[in-house]
Amino acid sequence: MIKIQPLTNISIESIHKAFQKAFEDYEEPFDLTVQQLQYMIERRGFRSNLSFGAFDKDELVGFTLNGIGKWQNKTTAYDTGTGIIKSYRKQGLATRIFEESLPILKQNGITQYLLEVIKTNTKAFDLYQKAGFVVLREFDYFVSPVTNIKMKAKAVNFRIQELDKPEWEKFSSFWDFHPSWQNSIESIERKLAFFKFIGIFDGEKMIGYGIIEPHTGDIPQFAIAKNYRRKGLGTTLFDWFVKTSESGTIKIINTDFKNKGTMDFMQSMNLKPGFGQYEMLLPLK
């Protein structure tokens, strides 16, 4: 008899073991160490008491790892990762975890459920649609070795400066779209010491910025003021990203599919999109 229960007091080692097994046969498998998994879910707001697992006796065979935080000013659960070990699939466990977790989430003041699903994972997409989730946005993502990135001429007559701390109010004034959950201000603030921040200045006026997580090469946010675009400032940012990445890789996850300027810029640097994702939301009444 498989039981569904919260992951309270379940070790990260047990979660990691199930995580690796659940994703080992995926088209783009995850291969994370225990420490990497812990860092990833903590950055996304992981709460063990509001995350849930399917247990066959004492073995964790399926899970949903939830982050909890504010999204559009509402207390939100975010699905950091749902997976079922291959030999336990086609038993409705993902649906059971979801359905049995909802009452507990509601009891804890959660008013909506947010997630992203890879476009090629049609089974999961259909499951979420049937459960009432609606698509908010389409995302693309770009992952590349730094050696594959081709950059045009950088901007001149502008100053770049590493910043001691983020200036969120100024940064957000440059946005064309709101960052996804894992790229949000709240997510970055959870692991602030692991990021580096750079500003681009015209005299004393900040006209652009970028953020990178050097140990992974992840770039959660970058933007240029609208009237300073197409002047090589994006290339200036990416030159700094390439030099700052300690992983030899650049990752830009969850770029809004409709943002044509960003998409064209990425491709101009030989960055090719992956399979893409849907961002989906379910209001919890």
Side-chain angles (χ1 to χ4, degrees), residues 193-250:
F194 290 86
F195 291 90
K196 287 190 174 183
F197 307 86
I198 190 174
I200 300 182
F201 294 83
D202 183 2
E204 296 303 312
K205 178 184 178 183
M206 186 187 294
I207 56 172
Y209 79 102
I211 304 172
I212 188 170
E213 191 178 50
H215 73 282
T216 64
D218 181 40
I219 300 166
Q221 295 183 19
F222 70 95
I224 304 295
K226 286 184 174 62
N227 56 334
Y228 281 90
R229 294 174 187 173
R230 301 187 182 279
K231 299 179 183 293
L233 294 173
T235 304
T236 298
L237 277 181
F238 271 77
D239 181 65
W240 181 78
F241 289 147
V242 165
K243 291 173 180 175
T244 306
S245 173
E246 297 165 3
S247 67
T249 303
I250 289 294

Side-chain angles (χ1 to χ4, degrees), residues 135-265:
V135 174
L136 298 180
R137 296 183 287 184
E138 291 183 49
F139 291 140
D140 267 324
Y141 65 92
F142 302 83
V143 179
S144 174
V146 296
T147 51
N148 287 359
I149 297 174
K150 298 176 181 177
M151 287 182 284
K152 298 178 181 178
K154 294 185 294 181
V156 294
N157 301 323
F158 298 100
R159 176 171 59 89
I160 65 170
Q161 178 181 321
E162 196 165 323
L163 306 174
D164 293 331
K165 59 183 180 180
E167 299 182 26
W168 296 121
E169 186 174 352
K170 188 65 178 176
F171 290 174
S172 61
S173 71
F174 303 139
W175 291 353
D176 287 334
F177 63 93
H178 197 281
S180 68
W181 179 282
Q182 70 186 64
N183 296 335
S184 67
I185 292 172
E186 193 172 5
S187 174
I188 295 167
E189 287 280 348
R190 290 189 190 106
K191 296 290 184 181
L192 196 62
F194 290 86
F195 291 90
K196 287 190 174 183
F197 307 86
I198 190 174
I200 300 182
F201 294 83
D202 183 2
E204 296 303 312
K205 178 184 178 183
M206 186 187 294
I207 56 172
Y209 79 102
I211 304 172
I212 188 170
E213 191 178 50
H215 73 282
T216 64
D218 181 40
I219 300 166
Q221 295 183 19
F222 70 95
I224 304 295
K226 286 184 174 62
N227 56 334
Y228 281 90
R229 294 174 187 173
R230 301 187 182 279
K231 299 179 183 293
L233 294 173
T235 304
T236 298
L237 277 181
F238 271 77
D239 181 65
W240 181 78
F241 289 147
V242 165
K243 291 173 180 175
T244 306
S245 173
E246 297 165 3
S247 67
T249 303
I250 289 294
K251 303 175 185 177
I252 304 100
I253 310 297
N254 292 350
T255 299
D256 194 322
F257 183 78
K258 291 183 178 179
N259 193 287
K260 189 175 185 301
T262 300
M263 305 302 289
D264 290 346
F265 172 65

Side-chain angles (χ1 to χ4, degrees), residues 7 13-32 37 40 52-54 59-65 79-90 93-94 97 118 121 124:
L7 296 179
E13 288 78 14
S14 295
I15 295 172
H16 177 260
K17 181 180 178 182
F19 190 94
Q20 292 293 92
K21 284 185 177 180
F23 291 112
E24 65 187 1
D25 64 328
Y26 272 46
E27 195 164 2
E28 291 197 2
F30 291 92
D31 186 18
L32 303 175
L37 176 63
M40 182 189 81
F52 302 87
E59 183 185 2
L60 180 62
V61 299
F63 54 84
T64 294
L65 310 177
D79 184 351
T80 289
T82 290
I84 307 293
I85 292 174
K86 188 175 183 180
S87 57
Y88 287 86
R89 292 175 194 162
K90 299 183 180 178
L93 290 182
I97 292 171
I118 295 174
N121 192 350

